[in-house]
Amino acid sequence: MARRFLALAGLLVVALVSLTAQHGTTNGEWRSYAGEPGSTKYSPLDQINKDNVKNLRIAWRFKTDNYGVRPDYNMQVTPLMVNGVMYAQAGTRRAVVAIDPETGEQLWMWRIDEGKRGEGAPRQGSGRGLAYWTDGKGDERIFSVTPGYNLVALNAKTGVPVRTFGRNGIVDLKTELDQPGLDLTTADIGLNAPPAVGNNVVVVGAAHTPGSAPRTKENVKGYVRGFDVRTGKRLWIFHTIPQPGEQGNETWENDSWSYTGNAGNWGAITIDEAANRVYLATEMATGDYYGGHRPGANLFTDCVVSLDLNTGKRYWYFQSIHHDIWDWDFPAPGILMDITVDGKPIKAIGVPSKQGWIYTFDRMTGQPVWPIVERPVEKGNVPGEWYSPTQPFPTKPAPFDRQGVSEADLIDWTPELKAEALRIAGLHKIGPIFTPPITPGEGGKAGTLMLPNATGGANWEGGAFDPETGIVYIFSTTNPTRLSLVNDPSRSNMNFIQGGGGGEGGGGGRGGRGEGAEAAAGAPGRANLPPTTVFGLPLIKPPYGRVTAINMNTGEHVWMQPIGDTPDNIKNHERLKGVTIPRTGRGGRLGIMLTKTLLFAGERGPLVTVNGQQGSWFRSYDKATGDIVSETLLPANTTGVPMTYMVNKKQYIVVAVAAAGRPAELVALTLP
C-alpha cells in the first residue's frame, strides 16, 4: 500500500510539473497573440519540416482593402486559431473577423464606428491581435481593443457583443482610469497591442502618440488594469506613475508625478497562469529625450513588474533605466522560460529590450538569474536636465546587438569609406551605451550618435523561445541615429530651464516647464547638419538586421546570422565596385516564429522581382545554425508576427503582409 501510494504520488508530481512547465502551443492551436500566454511563439508542429518546407505554397489570401475607410498598408496583426476557427483584426476600422482556417472564407465580422474618437486616436490601424477566453462549458469570447480605446467582448461563435460584459459588450477604457477630468474624445491614449487573458482576468495596457517632440509634458498616464472576463468589472489598476503614499512616488521629485504622463505598457503582456501572475514591461515617461521637468529615477518607467493576476498586488519589480532620456523603453513582452542554470532549475522570465539586452529574472522572486550591476555613466550638460549617476548593466547574456558607437564600429570596406566614416563620426559625440544627448554645438558637435536608436535593438515583435532546447531567438536592427536637443517652443511647450545645474537632481520642476527635446535631424531650419551616412552608405558595419540565438541555460550566444538580403543601394553602390560585401541583412520590424525544427522570418524593404513576379521573401532557417533552409515569395513585406496551426491533419503558416501601394492581407502557406 505504501509503495503504491508513493508511486502514485510520484506520478502526481510528474503530472503537475508537466502541466506547469513551458511547452509552447498545444493541440495544433495558436490561442494567444504569442502562441500561448507565456509569449514563447513556439509550436511543436513538424509536418512542415526541413525536408519539405521548400515546397510551401500559398493556400489562401484574405484581403483587407475594404475593412475601413481606407486601405491598411502596415498590418501588424497575428491571428489566433482556436477550435477550428481563425480570428484576426483587419483594416483601418480594426474590424474583428472570424475566418475558416482551411479556405480563408470569412465566417463573421464585427466593427464599430467610433466617429471623432476613433479618427483622432493615437494608435490607428488594424492592431496587433486579439485575446480568447472560454469557461470550458461553451462560453467562448474574443476580446479586442478598438482604436478609440474601448474593450469589446464578442461571442466567438457569432461575433455578437456579449451583452453582460460592460455596457452591451463594451468597456470604455477611458473611464475608471484614476485620472479625473479626462476628455473621452480627445484624451491621447489608446492601444495597438492585444489584451492579455488568463485565469478569468483580461489585462489591458496603454499607449500614446509616438513622437520625439510632445506638445506638452502633461500627457495622459498609461496605467495598466485588470478586468473581470465575464462582467467587465475593473478588478485592479496599477499606477505606473505612483501616487502619494505609494512606493516610488518619491522618485518623481518636485511633484512631477502629478502632471507627467505616459509610462504605460504599450507592447503585449505576458501571463503565467500556473503562478497566477501577470508581467508588465513598461515604457518611459513624457517626453522621449529630455526629462528636466520630471527629476528623479521615475519609477515605474522602464520596468519589469510582477503582479498578482486577480488583485494587481505587486510582487517585485526591476527598473532597467533610471530616468530614461533615450526612449529605450520595453517594447516587447517578457518570455516565460523554464531553464536550468548551474544545475538549478529556474522558472525564469527574459525580457528583450531596445538596448540589446535580454534582462533575465527568476519570475517568482525577481532575483536576476545572472548579476545586473550598477555602473557609473556619463553625466550630460543639457540645461535643467536630471541625470542618474549609474545605470544597470546585465552581465549575461551578452548584448544581442551593437551598443554605443566607437571607431571600431564604423564601416571599413575601403580606405576611402573608412576615412569618410571617421570624419562624420568626428562631427558627433560618440561613446558607449547611455552616452547622453547634447545640444547642437556643444563641444563643436552636431549631436550624439545613439546606437541602438529609439526603435531598437529589439522592438514590439520581441523574441521566441524553444522550451525543448532552452534557446531564445531575437531579431534586432542596427541603425544609429543622431540625437540633439533644441529649444523650440513652436513644437512643444516644454522649454529648457535656463541656468539649471545640469547635474543629478538639478532643476526641472513643473514651474520651470522643463522640456524642449527632439531629434534635431527632423527639425525645420536645421538643414546644415552633417550627414549620418557615408556617401549614402550606412555609417556602421553590418549586419543591419540579425537574429541572435542564445542558450538561456548558460547565457551564452549560440549563433548570430544576418536576416534579409543586402540592400540594392549597397550592392550597386559606385564606390563598392569590385568589393566583396558580406550578406548584410536588413533592418525593420520583423517577427519570428519557431516550430520543432525551424525558425521562420520574413523581410522588410523594397520588393524584389522574381520571374516577373514582385514580392518579398519569407524564409525558414535551421534553428541550430541559422542557415537558410528555404525561401518562399510572398505578395508583399512581412508586417506581423507569423503563426502556425494544424487543422484536419494539415499544418498551415499564416502571416500578415503589406507594402506601399499593396493593401494588407493575410497569407496562408501549406504543403501541396
Side-chain angles (χ1 to χ4, degrees), residues 461-538:
E461 307 84 358
F465 177 71
D466 187 335
E468 297 185 22
T469 64
I471 296 177
V472 68
Y473 302 82
I474 301 176
F475 174 82
S476 60
T477 292
T478 305
N479 182 25
T481 190
R482 173 175 46 235
L483 184 58
S484 55
L485 307 186
V486 297
N487 187 324
D488 189 348
S490 69
R491 296 172 67 86
S492 174
N493 74 356
M494 296 181 277
N495 299 314
F496 289 146
I497 298 172
Q498 301 303 321
E504 179 188 357
R510 184 180 186 184
R513 303 182 68 183
E515 182 163 354
E518 67 174 34
R526 299 183 234 289
N528 296 324
L529 289 168
T532 55
T533 59
V534 181
F535 303 121
L537 293 167

Side-chain angles (χ1 to χ4, degrees), residues 249-308:
N249 177 263
E250 71 283 356
T251 68
W252 297 83
E253 299 176 12
N254 296 0
D255 287 333
S256 57
W257 66 270
S258 65
Y259 54 82
T260 305
N262 291 68
N265 190 131
W266 64 264
I269 291 174
T270 295
I271 287 176
D272 185 342
E273 290 186 293
N276 201 47
R277 295 195 182 191
V278 57
Y279 296 91
L280 310 181
T282 66
E283 65 161 347
M284 64 180 301
T286 314
D288 291 351
Y289 308 116
Y290 180 84
H293 65 289
R294 50 174 170 87
N298 301 154
L299 284 178
F300 289 91
T301 64
D302 298 281
C303 276
V304 181
V305 186
S306 172
L307 305 176
D308 184 277

Side-chain angles (χ1 to χ4, degrees), residues 631-650:
E631 297 180 317
T632 303
L633 193 66
L634 296 183
N637 291 320
T638 299
T639 52
V641 176
M643 54 85 75
T644 188
Y645 58 90
M646 180 84 77
V647 62
N648 285 337
K649 300 182 180 180
K650 196 171 185 65

